[in-house]
Amino acid sequence: MLVFIDESGDPGFKISKGSSPLFVVSLVAFRKVEDSLLAQRAINELAARFGIRNEFKFSQSRDEVRDAFFMALSSIDYCVRAVVIQKERVYSSRLRTEKEAFYSYFVKTMLKFDNGLLVNAKVIIDGSGDQSFKKELSRYLKRHTGPGAIRDVRFSNSKNDRLVQLADMCTGAIARSYRDGRADAYRWRNMLSSKIEDVWEFK
């Protein structure tokens, strides 16, 4: 099993100074490697079609690209799970002040309460940051998930990883659905609905 993780928003709590009021972390899981290869091929073909030389990012994509992206992946077997955090509901002083603890806690929560999805999974997380944090996060996730759930945790730069880009697009679609007042708030989440297994809202 292959699992790809990305997030939308940031772990900061200085909302008045630009921190996002919402944080969403999502996983995209493939039970079969063959399906992940089909997804990579579909995304590469889409990039050629639209002349996209860089990565797919939900926040930077035109509406027509978003539409085409989710349609191109619609027949491929993968699933999505997410955790949505409205930061005003977080009261833990540690989570509010330690960004790494915040990120680790919610990624762990998503993986731990997976409804039996993860079996011997190779987990790939978007990131190119501090090596010591990566090692600690890897140990932390293995320690706090069920036996046999995670085989390996690795980090990948989204610029070079089409399936991390898929996780970004899915996360963005879910995050957009929480933007009140937008006429298109649910547009891409609805396109993704058949793939979504769970969206858990932190309370």
Side-chain angles (χ1 to χ4, degrees), residues 179-187:
R179 295 185 64 175
D180 296 335
R182 291 293 298 262
D184 63 1
Y186 270 84
R187 176 172 171 177

Side-chain angles (χ1 to χ4, degrees), residues 98-114:
E98 298 182 26
K99 294 182 179 181
E100 293 180 351
F102 176 94
Y103 181 82
S104 299
Y105 175 78
F106 286 110
V107 172
K108 175 213 58 172
T109 299
M110 180 177 64
L111 295 176
K112 184 176 181 179
F113 299 102
D114 66 329

